[in-house]
Amino acid sequence: MGGVTTRKNSGQSTTAPAKRQRATSSGPASERRDHLVKLAAELFARKGFQATTVREIADEAGILSGSLYHHFDSKETIVDEVLSTFLDDLVARYRTAIGSGADPRSTLSEMVRIGFGTLEPHRAAITVMQNDWNYLRQFERFNYLVKAEDEVEQIWVAQIKAGQAAGQFRADVDPKLTYRMIRDTIWVAVRWFRPGGRLNTTGLAEHYITVLFDGLATGERTSQQA
Amino acid sequence: MGGVTTRKNSGQSTTAPAKRQRATSSGPASERRDHLVKLAAELFARKGFQATTVREIADEAGILSGSLYHHFDSKETIVDEVLSTFLDDLVARYRTAIGSGADPRSTLSEMVRIGFGTLEPHRAAITVMQNDWNYLRQFERFNYLVKAEDEVEQIWVAQIKAGQAAGQFRADVDPKLTYRMIRDTIWVAVRWFRPGGRLNTTGLAEHYITVLFDGLATGERTSQQA
Amino acid sequence: MGGVTTRKNSGQSTTAPAKRQRATSSGPASERRDHLVKLAAELFARKGFQATTVREIADEAGILSGSLYHHFDSKETIVDEVLSTFLDDLVARYRTAIGSGADPRSTLSEMVRIGFGTLEPHRAAITVMQNDWNYLRQFERFNYLVKAEDEVEQIWVAQIKAGQAAGQFRADVDPKLTYRMIRDTIWVAVRWFRPGGRLNTTGLAEHYITVLFDGLATGERTSQQA
Amino acid sequence: MGGVTTRKNSGQSTTAPAKRQRATSSGPASERRDHLVKLAAELFARKGFQATTVREIADEAGILSGSLYHHFDSKETIVDEVLSTFLDDLVARYRTAIGSGADPRSTLSEMVRIGFGTLEPHRAAITVMQNDWNYLRQFERFNYLVKAEDEVEQIWVAQIKAGQAAGQFRADVDPKLTYRMIRDTIWVAVRWFRPGGRLNTTGLAEHYITVLFDGLATGERTSQQA
DNA sequence: AATGAATGAGGCTTCATTCAT
DNA sequence: AATGAATGAAGCCTCATTCAT
């Protein structure tokens, strides 16, 4: 249990199918609301959070900007919902992966696949997180984003260290540094990845797994230590 | 000469210490102006382009906001100068690297080093490019950014293909895809890299070169083809 | 129908009391909006378009300047509405006059009366058109003003030529030139005409019609040709 | 003597070829200064006084805007010079005309010719007076414009009344009203008159004189009283 | 005579948000 | 659940003018 705690539906277990409800003043869940969030997410992704006006969101929904405030109490609340929905899903998937008990290399591969696998269903949210993170983190209300990021980092670093201990990964790399590079490589792909290109996200994942584990070079590895 | 043509002073050879001059309406160079650009770059990097007000830039310089317009004709002109200065320098360095005539693997290593090597001197510009690219590219005036990016991509992809042809790089990876992953890994590091940490940029570069060429795994490479 | 096409609601027949509606982005009609336009027109007339600030308009209406933008998307949109409302009315009146089938001299007299007759109800708009035309025509959005002016010119010139053909007007005057002089004499009167003076606009019209047709001189006409 | 008194070179008789000198702080006369005034006049005429920036004037002269203040102490001083130069010339010409001792009709004809005759040499100034009069008259410094206008009005009205007394002009027109209509017809022509068209200013004048004295109609005059 | 830098006031506009209906 | 009107703060930018050099 526990772990990543977004400000939305914290304690909610992955299995509990309880009615989704928010603990905050951001208002009750509803189909209309979810729809509005989706519209907003697309706009945030395309134009950036700051450059997207509440009027544009309202226009997209065919209502007046003031009417949005029946559903959300602020623009921040909307983006909050966009991001936390994504993070909740991501963390849940990671938990499943590390719970499988597979060896570190297999687990890490799976986690890479999970990462690339979110690129399509959560494209908008990931884009927002990449582009507007620097701005949003200034606000206290988004502190939970940092917390979620920290937990994810721990999960990854633990796997890398386990792999080094098991002799599957080379010992001369820095686990934390390595994690960051992997993470960045995956998420930043959202900037150029477009569904329908040569590779789908599965192909992307396998391509990256290959390079990540075996390297770009041919022949014997240059330097190595047990 | 030629190649990447930013809207500023691209053609300028790296060796020619000719008087600095701009070809466009962005205004003439001057020490004062350069200083203001530097101040602005720091603010843009810290707060984001949109979230930085011209008043803040002016405050930082100890003048009134309107006085900025004696030097620049718009806020965009300032960020333009921040970005193009960086790109000019970057492209110049790449050109030197590929002009050395070394083998592809050495050249690619050098290019990775160049990339990480810009992290400190151009930290602000790179941060802006990472965070505000999505917003800025909406404006026609920044089309040159895309052009510069394209030329850089060609330089990299050519090296990767040359390495594959020479048998130095595995043939089963996609050159373009591989370039993008390398590129992203390097630039995104600006988000977490802080001078004075465990590794300096040289260390970062060597660490990444190791993983990039030899992979994270130990033992024999999984799949391989000549 | 047809003819002068202001960017607002030109095609609207004079008899059809259809709901007032605008075809463009200048915003929907409303009583509040019309009231604001009226206030603005007075200020534009008194101080000139450029010298009138949106703050002054807002002050006059008892709201904040930003609130004006709930109704109009720019200061230009406001003056646009002022001018096009006048032109729509004017052209409609001219059309009625030329549709009466009277002889050219009677028709022309009627048109002179129409011109002077707009001096009071459209005083502000005419003043703006006289004083700020030169400035406003620089903007593409006001091209329709020129078009409306051209149609009006055609209407007048046609009547003058018809009068010459019918032998009612002397043949040795230039129709276009004569039109312009008549037009200018009428509109420029807005600069000095004040309701409540010795002559009302009807008196003004008759005075001008006298001089226009019969001349200032006494006795026989100087030169004449059939 | 005396009469129109512009704020510039007041008492200066038309015959005294004394060195031109200004009584005010607007600075001494000089060729450079006159050139700048001419450049400014063109811009004022084309764009309007308010819409013309001192920077544009300076650009046109190839200097920086601040440097203009070595020649003039304000933007108003420049337009002042433009207008007063024109008025001085105009009044001088009128004085010559009324000093000839000819009969009223001849004198009035001559004055019409004088008016149209200034259209070319003083095109810019007349345009400014037509378009920016309403704005400029707000400033106390331009009170002399109103004074000049009043004196000119007296000259005209006196001639019209003399013509009526002599039986040359019909008695049933209002002298002041008639003057205004003549005046407006002449000056407003600056808006559409372009040198090189079908008629030059002499032709324009004769055309107008014909219509003015004999009217547009053919045959006998409608109503007439001794 | 002119430059180059800056001032200071103010202009138009944007936009998240509120609130009575 | 939504409208329509307005707020209030702030944003970018303009421009006549000043002044030391």
Side-chain angles (χ1 to χ4, degrees):
Chain A
M1 255 303 98
V4 167
T5 304
T6 72
R7 127 293 48 165
K8 212 178 56 190
N9 51 346
S10 31
Q12 205 165 135
S13 112
T14 350
T15 55
K19 226 200 200 131
R20 214 155 149 232
Q21 224 169 354
R22 279 168 197 78
T24 65
S25 65
S26 32
S30 81
E31 274 186 39
R32 184 90 177 103
R33 186 185 162 97
D34 286 348
H35 178 60
L36 293 172
V37 170
K38 232 168 251 167
L39 293 179
E42 287 305 320
L43 287 168
F44 290 155
R46 194 183 335 143
K47 313 191 46 176
F49 174 73
Q50 293 169 89
T52 301
T53 69
V54 294
R55 182 138 79 174
E56 284 168 333
I57 301 170
D59 280 356
E60 202 78 6
I63 58 178
L64 291 180
S65 64
S67 306
L68 272 182
Y69 288 79
H70 277 280
H71 302 277
F72 309 95
D73 38 62
S74 76
K75 192 183 166 191
E76 263 94 25
T77 298
I78 306 180
V79 78
D80 193 325
E81 191 132 334
V82 170
L83 297 180
S84 60
T85 299
F86 161 60
L87 279 180
D88 285 350
D89 184 39
L90 180 67
V91 171
R93 293 190 195 210
Y94 278 156
R95 285 206 190 108
T96 302
I98 60 176
S100 75
D103 67 295
R105 177 162 174 167
S106 299
T107 303
L108 217 66
S109 296
E110 186 56 23
M111 288 169 69
V112 169
R113 286 187 195 98
I114 287 173
F116 280 106
T118 58
L119 238 46
E120 277 196 76
H122 291 290
R123 193 189 55 75
I126 296 171
T127 302
V128 174
M129 194 156 292
Q130 287 295 310
N131 293 329
D132 298 303
W133 168 267
N134 196 47
Y135 174 73
L136 295 173
R137 72 162 166 196
Q138 297 174 85
F139 304 94
E140 219 191 314
R141 84 171 291 169
F142 291 109
N143 284 348
Y144 76 92
L145 290 177
V146 180
K147 278 185 197 151
E149 196 185 37
D150 285 349
E151 181 179 342
V152 169
E153 174 162 327
Q154 282 174 31
I155 295 178
W156 278 84
V157 169
Q159 287 301 316
I160 295 173
K161 284 182 175 167
Q164 288 178 317
Q168 286 188 304
F169 302 152
R170 37 195 312 162
D172 61 345
V173 300
D174 182 284
K176 200 168 165 184
L177 204 56
T178 303
Y179 155 66
R180 283 183 174 161
M181 288 183 168
I182 297 173
R183 176 197 63 186
D184 293 343
T185 306
I186 295 174
W187 299 132
V188 156
V190 83
R191 290 202 183 151
W192 47 264
F193 174 73
R194 290 292 167 272
R198 276 166 306 165
L199 263 59
N200 56 19
T201 53
T202 306
L204 266 186
E206 299 311 324
H207 185 281
Y208 183 56
I209 288 170
T210 298
V211 177
L212 174 63
F213 287 124
D214 289 342
L216 191 58
T218 56
E220 295 223 337
R221 295 176 197 278
T222 309
S223 65
Q224 186 82 12
Q225 83 230 86
Chain B
M1 268 303 105
V4 166
T5 306
T6 70
R7 88 5 358 191
K8 218 178 53 192
N9 53 341
S10 49
Q12 206 164 130
S13 120
T14 348
T15 53
K19 232 194 204 130
R20 216 158 148 230
Q21 229 172 347
R22 280 172 195 76
T24 65
S25 65
S26 29
S30 82
E31 274 186 40
R32 186 81 180 110
R33 185 183 163 99
D34 287 347
H35 178 61
L36 293 171
V37 169
K38 238 168 242 163
L39 293 179
E42 288 306 320
L43 286 169
F44 290 155
R46 194 184 334 143
K47 314 194 44 176
F49 174 72
Q50 293 170 87
T52 302
T53 69
V54 294
R55 197 130 52 199
E56 286 167 332
I57 300 171
D59 281 353
E60 202 79 6
I63 59 178
L64 292 178
S65 67
S67 304
L68 275 180
Y69 290 80
H70 178 65
H71 302 278
F72 310 95
D73 32 69
S74 74
K75 194 183 163 190
E76 259 104 29
T77 298
I78 306 181
V79 78
D80 192 325
E81 189 131 338
V82 170
L83 297 180
S84 61
T85 299
F86 161 60
L87 280 179
D88 284 349
D89 184 37
L90 180 67
V91 170
R93 291 190 198 209
Y94 279 155
R95 285 208 189 107
T96 303
I98 59 176
S100 75
D103 68 296
R105 178 164 174 168
S106 300
T107 304
L108 217 65
S109 297
E110 186 55 24
M111 286 169 71
V112 169
R113 285 187 196 100
I114 287 173
F116 280 104
T118 59
L119 239 45
E120 277 196 79
H122 290 291
R123 192 189 56 72
I126 297 171
T127 303
V128 173
M129 196 158 288
Q130 288 294 311
N131 294 329
D132 297 303
W133 167 271
N134 195 47
Y135 173 73
L136 295 173
R137 72 160 164 198
Q138 298 175 84
F139 304 94
E140 221 193 314
R141 83 171 291 168
F142 291 109
N143 284 349
Y144 77 91
L145 290 177
V146 180
K147 278 186 197 149
E149 197 185 37
D150 284 348
E151 182 181 341
V152 169
E153 175 163 325
Q154 282 175 31
I155 296 178
W156 279 82
V157 170
Q159 286 302 315
I160 295 174
K161 284 182 176 169
Q164 288 178 317
Q168 286 189 306
F169 302 152
R170 35 194 314 160
D172 61 345
V173 299
D174 182 284
K176 201 167 165 183
L177 205 57
T178 304
Y179 155 65
R180 283 181 175 160
M181 289 182 167
I182 297 172
R183 174 197 64 185
D184 293 344
T185 306
I186 296 174
W187 299 131
V188 154
V190 84
R191 290 200 183 155
W192 48 263
F193 173 74
R194 290 293 167 271
R198 274 167 306 162
L199 263 58
N200 56 19
T201 54
T202 306
L204 266 186
E206 299 311 326
H207 185 280
Y208 182 57
I209 288 170
T210 298
V211 177
L212 174 64
F213 286 123
D214 288 342
L216 192 58
T218 55
E220 295 220 338
R221 294 177 197 276
T222 308
S223 66
Q224 187 83 11
Q225 83 230 81
Chain C
M1 269 297 110
V4 166
T5 305
T6 71
R7 74 45 326 218
K8 217 176 55 190
N9 52 344
S10 47
Q12 209 164 127
S13 119
T14 347
T15 54
K19 232 193 205 128
R20 213 157 149 230
Q21 230 172 346
R22 278 174 196 77
T24 64
S25 66
S26 31
S30 86
E31 275 186 37
R32 186 81 179 108
R33 185 185 164 97
D34 287 349
H35 177 61
L36 294 171
V37 169
K38 238 168 245 165
L39 294 179
E42 287 306 320
L43 287 168
F44 290 156
R46 193 182 336 141
K47 314 192 44 174
F49 175 73
Q50 293 170 89
T52 302
T53 71
V54 294
R55 199 130 52 200
E56 286 168 331
I57 300 171
D59 281 353
E60 201 79 7
I63 59 178
L64 292 178
S65 68
S67 304
L68 275 180
Y69 289 79
H70 178 65
H71 302 278
F72 310 96
D73 32 69
S74 73
K75 192 183 165 190
E76 259 104 28
T77 298
I78 306 179
V79 79
D80 193 324
E81 190 132 337
V82 170
L83 297 180
S84 60
T85 298
F86 161 60
L87 280 179
D88 284 349
D89 184 37
L90 179 67
V91 171
R93 292 190 195 209
Y94 279 156
R95 285 206 190 107
T96 303
I98 59 177
S100 74
D103 68 294
R105 178 163 174 167
S106 301
T107 303
L108 217 65
S109 296
E110 185 56 25
M111 287 169 70
V112 169
R113 288 188 194 98
I114 288 173
F116 280 105
T118 58
L119 238 45
E120 275 195 79
H122 290 291
R123 191 188 54 75
I126 296 171
T127 303
V128 173
M129 195 158 291
Q130 288 296 310
N131 294 329
D132 298 301
W133 166 272
N134 196 45
Y135 174 73
L136 295 174
R137 72 159 165 199
Q138 298 175 82
F139 303 94
E140 220 193 314
R141 85 171 290 167
F142 291 109
N143 283 349
Y144 76 91
L145 291 177
V146 180
K147 278 184 197 151
E149 197 185 38
D150 284 348
E151 182 182 340
V152 169
E153 173 162 327
Q154 282 174 30
I155 294 177
W156 278 84
V157 170
Q159 286 302 315
I160 295 175
K161 285 182 176 168
Q164 289 179 315
Q168 287 190 304
F169 302 152
R170 40 195 310 161
D172 62 345
V173 299
D174 182 284
K176 201 168 164 184
L177 204 56
T178 305
Y179 155 65
R180 283 183 175 160
M181 290 184 167
I182 297 174
R183 174 197 65 186
D184 294 343
T185 306
I186 296 173
W187 300 132
V188 154
V190 84
R191 290 202 182 152
W192 47 264
F193 174 73
R194 289 294 166 270
R198 275 166 307 164
L199 264 58
N200 57 18
T201 54
T202 306
L204 266 186
E206 300 311 324
H207 185 281
Y208 184 58
I209 287 170
T210 298
V211 177
L212 174 63
F213 285 124
D214 289 341
L216 191 59
T218 56
E220 295 220 339
R221 295 179 197 276
T222 308
S223 65
Q224 186 82 12
Q225 85 228 84
Chain D
M1 257 301 102
V4 166
T5 305
T6 70
R7 129 290 46 165
K8 214 176 57 191
N9 49 344
S10 29
Q12 206 165 134
S13 114
T14 349
T15 53
K19 228 208 200 124
R20 219 160 145 226
Q21 221 169 355
R22 281 169 195 77
T24 64
S25 65
S26 32
S30 81
E31 274 186 40
R32 184 88 177 107
R33 185 185 163 97
D34 286 349
H35 179 60
L36 293 173
V37 170
K38 232 168 251 168
L39 293 179
E42 287 305 319
L43 287 169
F44 291 155
R46 194 183 335 142
K47 314 193 45 176
F49 175 71
Q50 293 170 88
T52 302
T53 69
V54 293
R55 183 138 79 172
E56 285 167 333
I57 300 171
D59 280 355
E60 203 79 7
I63 59 177
L64 291 180
S65 64
S67 306
L68 272 182
Y69 288 79
H70 276 280
H71 302 277
F72 309 96
D73 40 59
S74 76
K75 193 182 164 190
E76 264 93 27
T77 298
I78 305 180
V79 78
D80 193 325
E81 192 133 336
V82 170
L83 297 180
S84 59
T85 298
F86 161 62
L87 280 179
D88 284 351
D89 184 38
L90 180 68
V91 172
R93 293 190 195 208
Y94 280 155
R95 285 205 191 108
T96 303
I98 58 176
S100 75
D103 68 296
R105 177 164 174 164
S106 299
T107 303
L108 217 64
S109 295
E110 186 54 24
M111 287 169 71
V112 169
R113 285 187 196 98
I114 287 172
F116 281 105
T118 59
L119 239 45
E120 278 196 75
H122 290 291
R123 194 189 53 75
I126 296 171
T127 302
V128 172
M129 195 156 290
Q130 287 296 310
N131 294 327
D132 298 302
W133 168 268
N134 196 45
Y135 173 73
L136 295 173
R137 71 160 167 199
Q138 298 175 86
F139 304 93
E140 219 191 314
R141 85 172 291 167
F142 291 109
N143 284 350
Y144 76 92
L145 290 178
V146 180
K147 279 185 196 151
E149 197 185 36
D150 284 349
E151 180 177 344
V152 169
E153 175 164 327
Q154 283 174 29
I155 296 178
W156 278 82
V157 170
Q159 287 301 316
I160 294 174
K161 285 182 175 168
Q164 289 178 317
Q168 287 190 303
F169 302 151
R170 38 193 313 160
D172 62 346
V173 301
D174 182 283
K176 198 168 168 186
L177 204 56
T178 303
Y179 155 64
R180 282 182 176 160
M181 289 183 169
I182 297 172
R183 173 197 64 185
D184 294 344
T185 305
I186 296 174
W187 300 133
V188 155
V190 83
R191 289 202 183 152
W192 48 263
F193 174 74
R194 291 293 167 271
R198 274 168 307 166
L199 263 58
N200 56 19
T201 53
T202 306
L204 266 186
E206 299 311 325
H207 185 281
Y208 183 58
I209 288 170
T210 298
V211 178
L212 174 64
F213 286 124
D214 289 342
L216 191 58
T218 56
E220 295 223 337
R221 294 178 199 276
T222 308
S223 65
Q224 187 83 11
Q225 80 228 87

